[in-house]
Structure formats: C-alpha cells, structure tokens
Amino acid sequence: MTKQHNNTDTTRAGEAIIRHWFRRSLAIILGVGIIAAGIVWYLGRDSAPDIIIEEAVVSGPVVAAHTPQQTPPAVIFRDITAAAGIEFVHTNGAYGDKLMPETIGSGAAFLDYDNDTDQDLLLVNSSWFPGHEQENLPTLALYRNDGSGRFTDVTRETGLAINCYGMGVAAGDYDNDGWTDLYITALGDNYLLKNGQGHFTDVTTSTGTAGQTSDWSTAAAFLDIDNDGDLDLFVGNYVQWSRQIDLEIDFRLTGVGRSIGAPNHFFGTTNRLYRNEGDGRFSDVSASAGIMITDPVTHAPAGKTLSVAPVDYDRDGLMDLFVANDTTRNFLYHNLGKGQFEEIGALEGIAYDRNGKATGAMGIDAAYFRNDEDLGIGIGNFANEMSSLYVTAGGQPPFADEAILEGFGPASRLALTFGLFFFDYDLDGRLDLFQANGHLETEINLMQSSQTYAQAAQLFWNCGSACRSRFVTVTDSGDFANPMVGRGAAYADIDSDGDLDVVVTQNGRRAVLFRNDQSLGHHWLRVRLVGDRANRNAIGATVEISVDGVTQRRMVMPTRSYLSQSELPVTFGLGTRHSLDELHITWPDGQRQTVPVPAVNVMMTITQSDQP
C-alpha cells in the first residue's frame, strides 16, 4: 500500500532523532565509542510446482581473544585464480595525469550464461584514454565454468570482446526468453547485450538504453518496478566528468603532487530509469518517475551514485531502491506504484551518518542478517570513515546506523571499502559480512602512515544475538589477508559443494578468485527459482525457511556490492540440522507458494505454480 507522508512525517522524523541519540548513548554506556577522526581526508571530502533436485557433494578464520561462543569457525579462503584458469588483468588506462576514472573500476558478475546450472564469471574491463592507446585492446572477459570451479575463456566466441571504458554490470533476462542478458555501464555509452542461447548481441540502440555519451554510469540493476512480469532497468550515474574538467581542478597532495580529485570537487548527476515495454524496447521514464533528484535550492543534480540495492524495504509488494552516493546524501527511492517514486532517504534515516554527515559511500547490500523482521543496509565508506549498517527497529523504518553496536564499525574505520555483501560463509544459518578494500591514491602511504594503496579484505563472522557484538572480526581467513586494490566483489558456489566462493576485482591488477575451503560438516540448501507470471529470473522474490523456530529469509537479487552481481540461486546454511519440512516463496507478483523439502545438501529448482 502507498505510504502517506503528511503530518506523520514530523512524528516519524522526531522518532528517528530520538532513536538515533538513544543508540549513541547506549553505545557510550557499553564502552564502544567512536575514535575521533584525527586524519583530515586527503581528498577534502565533505498447483504442485515443478521441482528439480540436483545432488551435490558437501565438501578463513580462527581468533584467540574471544570467549568460546564468540570464536569464528576455522574456515580458509584460498586464492585459486591461476589454478582455475582466470587470467584477467584489469586495465585502468593510467598514464600519469591522475584522472579520476582510472581509480574506481570495475565490477564482476556470476551468472549462468549457458544454462548448464554452473556459475560462470564475467569481468568488466576499462580501457586506454584517447591518445594513450597501447598495442593490446582491453575487452570484457567471460569465463565458462565446467562445474568443478575450472574456467575457460569464451569471450570471443560469445561475442563479448567489447572494448569500452567499462565500470559495472547487471545481469537479468529482460525479454523472458530463458537466457540471462547483460547490461554494461561505462564512461560514455552503455551496452545492453542480448543472450541468444549462449551468444551475445549488442541491442543497445534498438532498445534505447545507451544513456548519454556524456554520462559516467556506474551502478545498474534489473528489477520489475511495476510488477508486470518483465524486468525494467535502473542506471546510476556518478559525477559530471571530462578530462578537461579534471585537469582544470588540478587536485594536489602535499609531498605527492597532482593526485586524484575528490568527488566533491565535481558536479553531481541524475540517475536513469528505463521501463521495459515488453516488445524489446525500453522507455526512459527517469523524469516522470521521480528518479531525477536535484538540490531544492540550487536545482543542480544531487546524485553521485556508485551502487544500488533494490529491495522492498516496507514489504508492500513494490521494489524500492537504496542508492549509495559518494560525498552527498544517500537516496531511498520509495516505490509508490504506477511507475512513481519519491526520494525519502533523509526521512527514513539512511541519507547521512550518525553525525548527520554525508559519507564517501561505495558498495551497498541489503539483508535480514538478524534472522528476524529487521532489514539491514550495509554501506562501505571511504578511509577513516567506518562502514555503515542502517537497521530498522521491529521491522519498521526509520533506520538507525548500528555499525558500532553490531561490532564491525570500529574495525572497518581505517579501510577504504568498495565491495561489500552479506553471505553465510560457514553455513551456520547466519549471514556474515565481507568487505573488499583498497585505496584510490597509489602514494597515499607517503601522506598517511595508516593508509596503504593495497589493503586486506575483511571478513566478519555473525555469531548471533547472544554474543557481546554480533559481528566478530575474522583474523585468519586465509588469502583474504593478502593486500589487494579491491573494487568489485561477488559470491557464488563455483564448485557445487554448497558453500559460497568469492571473486574480487582489483583496479589495474588481476582479478582474484577465492575458493571457500570450509569443512565444518554443516548442511545446506540451495534454491533456484523460475518465474512464470513473474519475471523468469524471479528477481525480487523472497524465500523463507524455519529452522528450530528461527526464520531465515533470502532475497533473489543479484545486484549487490559494488558494480557487481552475485549468483541468482539463494543459499541457506542449516548448521547441524539435517532435514527441513518446507520452504515458503513470495514471488515478485505477490503470489505465495509453499514447497516441501525432500532433502538437504541439494540444489532445488522450483518453477512458479500456475495457481494464483
């Protein structure tokens, strides 16, 4: 139902302020204070369904200084990039002028492009700047998975040897033909690539989805905004940029010289929303839908988008959009129905940090990480800003930032975080948190001793509500400890063993594929949905299970993290539980369906029932 924002606005805003200060006071009482920022930002930042079951073989972090119940399990992630056949190296085009675009790319996507049930891997590449081309021509890269975690480069034979200054990727079957398509965001024209049974064709022009040549597009997401059964397309844009503008700003660091300009030195932009007309064409409805946000005083574009998390946060059956903006307020596009949105990020408590300040927001994800009605929105922020964790109370907004109370805020403060997502890496039934980190400035250590260009990823184990702090830093996670210039990050089960593996892209360096080598004996269930009246990918659906009185909820949404897409199937960790009675699905069109679970440690493929 449509929310009414009239006299209740003042009341809800007041409640948000009270909750905000109460939580800060509670944090002080608990002795978990924020360390005052002593470092000025170097950038100057302000019927019976069809069910298919696939059998699978059941196949990292030890800390000392914690009570037993707060000790993460021994799980190691191994860098298997070379052994898996991944040879991709990102090209950022850097040639010495320190241009802003060379610092922030790029993303990755796990998808099953050939419908063999294995998760394949797409890696987005950037390129050379005009006048500085080199002999090799960087392109996108697609790797086909043989099902065991071994990959083969199939870029050219699938039609994806595309050269552009690429940024991000969205994956979704926009024409409901059963084959997952791709949308690539870029500095300049974007690309919509139709999957024709394993071969991709550029249909950007005919679909009307290129955007403007002057756009710098970053985040993208396929979602059904109007519940008509086909996928629409959201595209986020960053700042107004050109090489001339960048050089005229001439941002410099003492002792370093010319450096990367901060986004608050550039004008913002507006985002785009394309409605799928169902006949192979899209219509740009950005203005009429309320997506184009401007400053109420200056009327200048207000957004600097780097990532987006589509989720029905108020559970009214309509998909909303959380948008992470860099150095300006975050957006919450509330879906009013009939193709209309209102931006209410400030009202709902996610626009600013706990001090009322906009952050350098990068990656974003949404999850029910407490296994209750409360939705969490995690956002990775700039160096010397802790990551944010906005959470509802009793399942109702407004949100409050509980990163400190939940334990991972202070540990995330020094890192410059790009990729961020929730996933259950140890299959205990609780969603853990991963962050990919890496700085923008190669010489940052000369100016700030606490900062380095390459930074270790961070893994936080969710030890549940009984612990002093829910998220516990994992100090031994294997090769996550190796410093990376981390950017995009995504997860998937690449070897069909039930646990979730991770890929991290690096700026100007090789992508890194990590295999999850957990051997805890925990049980699991994986679920793949096929829509009928809803979109074929079932993007926007939720799946719920109950284990020992605790409800786990997973959202079918590949758009997560930073410029990236994770796999479509959802994974439930069951711990030592070796059976389940049933699971419950809420399809994107609102249909509720209950399905028996005949076995665990399997993949279930469930087709939407023909019963309304």
Side-chain angles (χ1 to χ4, degrees), residues 183 190 207-212 215 217 223 225 231-235 272-277 282-286:
Y183 188 79
N190 302 321
T207 56
T209 53
Q212 299 296 319
D215 287 347
S217 298
L223 72 158
I225 63 169
L231 292 173
D232 310 293
L233 177 63
F234 172 85
V235 180
R272 299 189 185 277
L273 183 65
Y274 297 96
R275 184 181 62 217
N276 190 337
E277 300 297 346
F282 288 78
S283 296
D284 187 338
V285 296
S286 309

Side-chain angles (χ1 to χ4, degrees), residues 286-309:
S286 309
S288 62
I291 293 296
M292 302 179 75
I293 306 301
T294 57
D295 185 279
V297 177
T298 66
H299 303 293
K304 298 180 181 180
T305 295
L306 283 179
S307 59
V308 59

Side-chain angles (χ1 to χ4, degrees), residues 296-380:
V297 177
T298 66
H299 303 293
K304 298 180 181 180
T305 295
L306 283 179
S307 59
V308 59
V311 57
D312 179 7
Y313 84 100
D314 54 358
R315 302 177 73 177
D316 64 355
L318 298 168
M319 292 298 293
D320 311 295
L321 291 160
F322 290 84
V323 172
N325 285 314
D326 192 0
T327 70
T328 189
R329 76 178 196 270
N330 300 318
F331 294 159
L332 169 52
Y333 293 113
H334 176 228
N335 192 335
L336 301 175
K338 298 182 179 180
Q340 297 297 304
F341 290 80
E342 61 175 345
E343 199 289 294
I344 56 171
L347 176 68
E348 297 291 45
I350 62 95
Y352 304 103
D353 69 6
R354 61 184 57 78
N355 298 313
K357 181 180 179 182
T359 62
M362 311 292 185
I364 189 171
D365 196 12
Y368 292 92
F369 67 92
R370 291 174 174 168
N371 288 338
D372 60 13
E373 295 299 308
D374 284 325
L375 176 67
I377 308 294
I379 297 180

Side-chain angles (χ1 to χ4, degrees), residues 161-483:
I162 296 171
N163 171 252
C164 62
Y165 205 96
M167 288 284 139
V169 54
D173 183 3
Y174 80 89
D175 53 359
N176 282 331
D177 66 352
W179 297 84
T180 300
D181 312 298
L182 292 168
Y183 188 79
I184 306 297
T185 61
L187 178 63
D189 292 343
N190 302 321
Y191 291 81
L192 179 56
L193 306 167
K194 175 178 167 54
N195 187 346
Q197 300 185 25
H199 186 275
F200 292 86
T201 302
D202 184 351
V203 294
T204 313
T205 301
S206 64
T207 56
T209 53
Q212 299 296 319
T213 301
S214 59
D215 287 347
W216 179 356
S217 298
T218 50
F222 283 109
L223 72 158
D224 188 353
I225 63 169
D226 46 13
N227 291 339
D228 63 354
D230 54 32
L231 292 173
D232 310 293
L233 177 63
F234 172 85
V235 180
N237 292 318
Y238 193 29
V239 296
Q240 296 181 34
W241 182 90
S242 70
R243 181 176 180 274
Q244 180 181 355
I245 293 173
D246 203 325
L247 294 177
E248 286 177 352
I249 289 175
D250 197 26
F251 190 85
R252 293 180 178 271
L253 290 177
T254 303
V256 174
R258 176 166 169 81
S259 186
I260 303 302
N264 53 359
H265 290 267
F266 295 82
F267 290 111
T269 57
T270 55
N271 300 319
R272 299 189 185 277
L273 183 65
Y274 297 96
R275 184 181 62 217
N276 190 337
E277 300 297 346
D279 59 0
R281 296 178 301 113
F282 288 78
S283 296
D284 187 338
V285 296
S286 309
S288 62
I291 293 296
M292 302 179 75
I293 306 301
T294 57
D295 185 279
V297 177
T298 66
H299 303 293
K304 298 180 181 180
T305 295
L306 283 179
S307 59
V308 59
V311 57
D312 179 7
Y313 84 100
D314 54 358
R315 302 177 73 177
D316 64 355
L318 298 168
M319 292 298 293
D320 311 295
L321 291 160
F322 290 84
V323 172
N325 285 314
D326 192 0
T327 70
T328 189
R329 76 178 196 270
N330 300 318
F331 294 159
L332 169 52
Y333 293 113
H334 176 228
N335 192 335
L336 301 175
K338 298 182 179 180
Q340 297 297 304
F341 290 80
E342 61 175 345
E343 199 289 294
I344 56 171
L347 176 68
E348 297 291 45
I350 62 95
Y352 304 103
D353 69 6
R354 61 184 57 78
N355 298 313
K357 181 180 179 182
T359 62
M362 311 292 185
I364 189 171
D365 196 12
Y368 292 92
F369 67 92
R370 291 174 174 168
N371 288 338
D372 60 13
E373 295 299 308
D374 284 325
L375 176 67
I377 308 294
I379 297 180
N381 292 318
F382 200 75
N384 301 314
E385 296 176 330
M386 66 181 67
S387 295
S388 303
L389 183 56
Y390 300 100
V391 190
T392 58
Q396 298 295 318
F399 292 80
D401 189 347
E402 299 189 358
I404 295 177
L405 292 176
E406 294 292 12
F408 87 102
S412 68
R413 186 180 65 83
L414 286 180
L416 199 168
T417 299
F418 280 88
L420 174 151
F421 56 72
F422 296 93
F423 75 140
D424 184 0
Y425 78 91
D426 60 340
L427 301 176
D428 65 354
R430 298 186 296 268
L431 288 170
D432 312 298
L433 186 61
F434 173 84
Q435 295 193 157
N437 305 319
H439 215 283
L440 304 180
E441 175 55 58
T442 56
E443 304 299 326
I444 188 62
N445 189 248
L446 297 178
M447 182 180 178
Q448 296 184 20
S449 60
S450 64
Q451 293 295 316
T452 56
Y453 182 49
Q455 301 178 2
Q458 291 175 293
L459 181 63
F460 298 93
W461 177 60
N462 185 341
C463 68
S465 59
C467 300
R468 293 194 304 267
S469 296
R470 180 179 304 272
F471 288 106
V472 177
T473 301
V474 178
T475 59
D476 182 10
S477 55
D479 291 332
F480 281 165
N482 298 332

Side-chain angles (χ1 to χ4, degrees), residues 32 300 316 351 354 552 571:
V32 191
D316 64 355
R354 61 184 57 78
Q552 297 183 44
T571 297

